[in-house]
């Protein structure tokens, strides 16, 4: 029996290439919490196959298993067959949406908010032009930083001012990245293209963003002209433009954001900034490519809040086991997730974005 779902050949190949060894159980954060196979990469790929072959209907239970995959990519690192699980499940979500299946309700609301308001929080239009005059740098903070972590934007501004870098800020619209993960590929690409053409019309030499998901969305359109704040800050230090006035003598660990690490391969720049700050860096057992998802990426915390909160709490407990004073990350979503979780389970543990640490020491 066929379902009528239309997936690209390469996605089908990945789905059918899974040989069901179950190694992904050791890495999938949703499986770690739910403890049942349908919340694991393997279970999701089995469901994908059943959906494609028309053996099951996309009811709420099945859709939750598929759409709760947060594209963290941890399963791909441990998979002996190197199955591209994220691409396969993203293609399945797109095929479901294209066939007229309605995703889970919170995802429908996020989709509507982004299309209507240019941001997922549905609080009216963001300012769409650069906020200030011409600059060497255009800072694109991204929706999560603007809405939930404005202190991070102030920290980046303080760094740019300390390094005497002229800059302007572009507050929107949304880069579309979360929509890609949620199965709205066409809308995601249209939004990224629209944002990229707005940016192209600016005279800024560099575009920087603290958000790995925005960077991932913009890279295909802007190439190396757009970069992450951590690599940009490291360059400023190498050029002697950004100088730290003091050092801090505490113990820290670093949480690699899934997208910044596994997808963009940026592992060293944030660590080098931490070393420069004087902090003693102690690694968690799960770091770099094996980092554990904080649960909040691609706005998954708005669609599956309980699951996301539990993931963040577990990550905080891992940081505590290392015995550090501060947990540092480099992504507004991770910063928000881990700060909220620390308030709940470990008030003594400070949580900061690496930009906040550098801003504190550079000004
Ligand atoms: S580790 Fe890879 S091959 Fe094995 S079950 Fe998971 S996705 Fe399939
Ligand atoms: S991408 Fe992450 S959440 Fe999705 S199946 Fe793989 S490990 Fe699980």
């Amino acid at each position: 029996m066929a379902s009528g779902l239309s997936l690209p050949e390469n996605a089908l190949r990945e789905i059918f290439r899974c040989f069901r060894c179950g190694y992904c159980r050791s890495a999938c954060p949703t499986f770690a919490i739910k403890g049942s196979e349908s919340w694991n990469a393997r279970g999701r790929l089995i469901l994908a196959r059943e959906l494609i072959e028309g053996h099951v209907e996309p009811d709420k239970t099945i859709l939750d298993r598929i759409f709760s995959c947060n594209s963290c990519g941890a399963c791909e690192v441990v998979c002996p067959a190197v199955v591209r699980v994220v691409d396969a499940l993203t293609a399945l979500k797109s095929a479901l949406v294209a066939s007229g299946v309605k995703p889970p309700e919170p995802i429908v609301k996020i989709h509507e908010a982004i299309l209507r308001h240019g941001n997922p929080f549905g609080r009216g239009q963001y300012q769409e032009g650069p906020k200030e005059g011409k600059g060497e740098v255009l800072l694109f903070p991204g929706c999560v930083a603007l809405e939930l972590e404005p202190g991070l934007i102030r920290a980046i501004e303080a760094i740019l001012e300390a390094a005497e870098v002229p800059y302007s800020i572009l507050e929107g619209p949304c880069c579309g990245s979360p929509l890609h993960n949620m199965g709205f590929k066409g809308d995601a690409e249209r939004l990224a293209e629209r944002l990229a053409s707005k940016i192209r019309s600016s005279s800024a030499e560099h575009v920087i963003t603290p958000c790995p998901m925005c960077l991932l969305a913009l890279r295909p359109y802007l190439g190396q002209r757009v970069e992450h704040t951590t690599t940009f800050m490291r360059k400023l230090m190498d050029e002697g433009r950004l100088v730290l006035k003091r050092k801090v003598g505490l113990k820290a660990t670093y949480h690699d954001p899934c997208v910044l690490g596994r997808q963009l391969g940026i592992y060293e720049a944030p660590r080098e900034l931490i070393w420069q700050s004087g902090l003693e860096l102690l690694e968690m057992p799960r770091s770099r490519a094996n980092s554990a998802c904080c649960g909040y990426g691609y706005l998954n915390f708005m669609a599956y809040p309980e699951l996301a909160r539990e993931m963040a709490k577990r990550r905080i407990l891992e940081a505590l086991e290392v015995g550090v004073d501060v947990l540092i990350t480099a992504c507004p979503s991770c910063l928000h997730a881990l700060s909220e979780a620390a308030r709940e389970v470990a008030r003594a543990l400070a949580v900061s974005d690496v930009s906040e640490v550098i801003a504190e020491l550079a000004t």
Side-chain angles (χ1 to χ4, degrees):
M1 193 167 48
S3 63
L5 285 178
S6 170
L7 274 84
E9 203 50 51
N10 54 355
L12 286 173
R13 200 170 40 241
E14 296 305 308
I15 289 167
F16 284 84
R17 234 162 43 73
C18 167
F19 61 93
R20 304 185 181 179
C21 65
Y23 273 43
C24 42
R25 281 183 167 213
S26 66
C28 181
T30 52
F31 174 73
I33 292 166
K34 294 288 191 176
S36 93
E37 188 57 40
S38 60
W39 295 88
N40 181 31
R42 173 174 65 177
R44 290 182 171 113
L45 293 173
I46 291 170
L47 287 175
R49 198 168 167 158
E50 295 291 300
L51 282 165
I52 291 161
E53 291 177 342
H55 298 141
V56 292
E57 288 299 315
D59 61 16
K60 184 180 177 326
T61 305
I62 289 181
L63 289 179
D64 275 336
R65 296 334 189 245
I66 302 298
F67 281 85
S68 62
C69 164
N70 54 31
S71 301
C72 74
C75 50
E76 296 185 359
V77 176
V78 298
C79 175
V82 204
V83 173
R84 296 178 65 90
V85 180
V86 174
D87 287 352
L89 292 175
T90 305
L92 175 67
K93 291 172 194 171
S94 288
L96 285 163
V97 170
S99 75
V101 171
K102 211 170 141 200
E105 197 52 36
I107 290 176
V108 172
K109 289 205 172 116
I110 294 167
H111 178 229
E112 282 171 5
I114 292 179
L115 293 192
R116 187 168 308 153
H117 302 290
N119 74 82
F121 302 99
R123 308 242 170 101
Q125 291 279 356
Y126 283 131
Q127 184 176 333
E128 292 208 356
K131 236 169 126 182
E132 295 167 22
K134 286 185 178 171
E136 176 187 332
V137 160
L138 183 67
L139 167 60
F140 183 72
C143 306
V144 175
L146 280 165
E147 182 73 22
L148 302 173
E149 294 293 337
L152 171 57
I153 305 171
R154 286 195 293 275
I156 299 165
E157 289 190 85
I159 291 167
L160 294 172
E161 276 155 26
E164 298 183 2
V165 175
Y167 68 95
S168 53
I169 299 183
L170 181 64
E171 291 195 344
C174 175
C175 70
S177 190
L179 292 187
H180 189 265
N181 175 57
M182 291 171 179
F184 301 97
K185 187 168 178 269
D187 288 332
E189 285 170 358
R190 267 188 294 282
L191 282 162
E193 175 74 61
R194 185 175 123 191
L195 175 59
S197 70
K198 216 172 263 292
I199 290 174
R200 274 192 215 106
S201 66
S202 101
S203 60
E205 255 175 73
H206 306 282
V207 182
I208 61 169
T209 178
C211 177
M213 285 159 283
C214 297
L215 176 57
L216 190 68
L218 290 170
R219 257 287 151 79
Y221 301 94
L222 300 174
Q224 297 303 317
R225 188 178 166 197
V226 56
E227 65 180 307
H228 192 248
T229 38
T230 54
T231 54
F232 186 71
M233 277 190 281
R234 187 181 55 182
K235 249 188 263 171
L236 289 178
M237 276 192 188
D238 290 347
E239 290 165 4
R241 296 173 73 185
L242 178 62
V243 179
L244 302 187
K245 295 181 178 152
R246 339 176 250 292
K247 302 251 176 191
V248 56
L250 296 171
K251 287 183 180 167
T253 193
Y254 174 65
H255 164 80
D256 289 275
C258 301
V259 175
L260 192 66
R262 280 189 284 267
Q263 301 232 31
L264 291 160
I266 298 176
Y267 296 112
E268 300 312 324
R271 285 179 169 79
E272 282 168 22
L273 293 168
I274 292 169
W275 292 324
Q276 291 289 340
S277 72
L279 284 160
E280 183 186 349
L281 179 61
L282 304 173
E283 296 285 356
M284 286 184 273
R286 295 197 287 174
S287 69
R288 296 179 189 262
N290 292 310
S291 182
C293 181
C294 76
Y296 278 39
Y298 294 110
L299 303 178
N300 230 39
F301 69 99
M302 293 172 78
Y304 294 94
E306 283 171 25
L307 206 50
R309 273 199 293 270
E310 185 57 33
M311 281 184 223
K313 278 196 247 171
R314 289 180 182 210
R315 194 57 167 157
I316 289 291
L317 297 178
E318 281 184 56
L320 280 181
E321 275 177 30
V322 184
V324 292
D325 309 292
V326 52
L327 168 60
I328 298 174
T329 191
C331 163
S333 296
C334 297
L335 175 65
H336 192 65
L338 299 170
S339 306
E340 282 202 326
R343 273 196 288 277
E344 232 182 290
V345 294
R347 285 192 165 267
L349 181 72
V351 179
S352 281
D353 189 280
V354 68
S355 298
E356 294 175 315
V357 175
I358 297 299
E360 191 70 38
L361 302 176
T363 52

